[in-house]
Amino acid sequence: MPGMKFPGDPNGYPKRDEVIRYLKDYRVKFQLPVQTNQRVVSVEKDGDGFTVRTMAEDTFRARTLINATGSFHNPYTPVLPGQEAFQGRTLHSSEYLNPEPFRNQRVVVVGRGNSAVQIGVELAEMSKTSLAVLQPVQFVKQKVWGQDVHFWVRLIGFDTFPFWRFGKTAPSSSAVNDSGGYKEKVAAGKPDQQPMFTSFYEDGVIWPNGTKEPVDTVIFATGYRPYLPYLQAIGALDAEGKPLHQAGISDVPGLYYVGLEGQRSFASATLRGWGRTRSLL
């Protein structure tokens, strides 16, 4: 981020804890007055500013408000026929921590993106696991000619192409980044791919050919939806709860967004894309 390089190998892949440490060090270096555990419950627009109220019963006044919660805050789980009768376990991929609780189970992972494949491959080492997909999984190499695929996306300009100028959001890719032999493992049936099941029944799922199969656990790797209820009262959201904005600039004067998927470019929802968004707001 501005003023502080990320430590370590510039071509490496930082781990979760390394990113957290970097953000904490950034806060300390620039003495930023960041307050944690301040979940916002309501935002009011009054005059030329905002009043923000938190669950901790604190109140903040501001002339400008930047909502930086991104697009991946509210796990989305579809409701399928017969689901209420299913006696097994269902959960969203955001609740998945490790494969051990699913050892020797029959598991179905719904989805074909990065999370679905990564979880499926991990589970397949100790469980009978299938990916339930609407279309076959597609893969892209994580590295091409020694450089990460995102390097090339940035180099050709797709990373920051201003889709918003044409009244569109940047497209997202459902292709899986193959950084650990995922393509080979899926091709070997660990996990295998099955056409998306049509419904649940008490003991499991019903596949498109009518076959009933007992299943212990179904994991939905089905993405996220916006969750911004605190902005509803000021008219910042549409009927589906999605923010009304153009390239991160809200229809409500003084309100801006950072980190929305497709907000300004392909990279808007990433740490890399945040810097570009910041400079344009």
Side-chain angles (χ1 to χ4, degrees), residues 1 4-15 17-26:
M1 294 196 296
M4 181 175 166
K5 290 185 177 181
F6 200 99
D9 181 3
N11 292 318
Y13 299 105
K15 297 180 180 179
D17 290 346
E18 292 177 298
V19 174
I20 292 173
R21 173 57 61 88
Y22 171 77
L23 295 175
K24 287 182 176 180
D25 290 347
Y26 193 91

Side-chain angles (χ1 to χ4, degrees), residues 129-148:
T129 304
S130 295
L131 297 175
V133 299
L134 294 175
Q135 297 179 1
V137 177
Q138 294 182 325
F139 293 90
V140 294
K141 290 183 178 181
Q142 186 73 50
K143 285 194 172 183
V144 179
W145 294 329
Q147 294 287 350
D148 186 272

Side-chain angles (χ1 to χ4, degrees), residues 41-281:
V41 294
S42 69
V43 174
E44 302 166 11
K45 186 84 164 71
D46 39 40
D48 60 351
F50 300 90
T51 299
V52 179
R53 305 185 192 280
T54 74
M55 191 174 290
E57 299 184 350
D58 288 325
T59 300
F60 300 91
R61 287 277 301 148
R63 181 170 297 177
T64 301
L65 189 64
I66 299 176
N67 188 92
T69 57
S71 298
F72 307 107
H73 190 68
N74 184 30
Y76 170 69
T77 302
V79 178
L80 301 174
Q83 191 165 337
E84 70 284 351
F86 179 52
Q87 298 300 303
R89 182 185 180 190
T90 62
L91 67 154
H92 188 268
S93 57
S94 60
E95 303 172 75
Y96 175 87
L97 299 177
N98 63 75
E100 189 57 40
F102 310 96
R103 181 179 291 275
N104 298 324
Q105 287 191 8
R106 175 66 174 111
V107 183
V108 174
V109 180
V110 178
R112 59 190 289 265
N114 284 286
S115 294
V117 170
Q118 291 167 7
I119 290 172
V121 166
E122 194 170 68
L123 285 171
E125 295 296 323
M126 59 179 59
S127 306
K128 183 182 179 183
T129 304
S130 295
L131 297 175
V133 299
L134 294 175
Q135 297 179 1
V137 177
Q138 294 182 325
F139 293 90
V140 294
K141 290 183 178 181
Q142 186 73 50
K143 285 194 172 183
V144 179
W145 294 329
Q147 294 287 350
D148 186 272
V149 64
H150 291 279
F151 168 85
W152 300 108
V153 168
R154 182 171 65 248
L155 185 67
I156 65 176
F158 187 72
D159 199 26
T160 54
F161 185 81
F163 291 92
W164 60 276
R165 291 186 184 277
F166 304 94
K168 301 181 184 226
T169 58
S172 59
S173 173
S174 60
V176 174
N177 294 324
D178 188 12
S179 59
Y182 294 121
K183 184 176 181 179
E184 289 77 9
K185 290 178 180 179
V186 171
K190 292 192 171 190
D192 65 358
Q193 299 183 65
Q194 300 289 341
M196 179 61 190
F197 57 88
T198 58
S199 62
F200 287 90
Y201 76 104
E202 186 175 286
D203 295 324
V205 301
I206 303 175
W207 299 105
N209 63 4
T211 300
K212 290 184 175 182
E213 181 180 7
V215 169
D216 298 296
T217 301
V218 175
I219 300 175
F220 287 95
T222 45
Y224 297 79
R225 297 291 186 272
Y227 185 71
L228 307 168
Y230 47 86
L231 297 177
Q232 189 72 62
I234 62 174
L237 310 178
D238 65 15
E240 297 180 354
K242 297 178 182 179
L244 296 167
H245 71 100
Q246 184 179 61
I249 301 174
S250 173
D251 289 5
V252 177
L255 173 62
Y256 303 88
Y257 297 94
V258 169
L260 295 179
E261 190 173 22
Q263 176 176 319
R264 280 182 175 264
S265 71
F266 180 73
S268 288
T270 69
L271 282 174
R272 182 182 73 255
W274 171 82
R276 175 67 175 168
T277 298
R278 172 194 57 83
S279 67
L280 293 173
L281 287 178

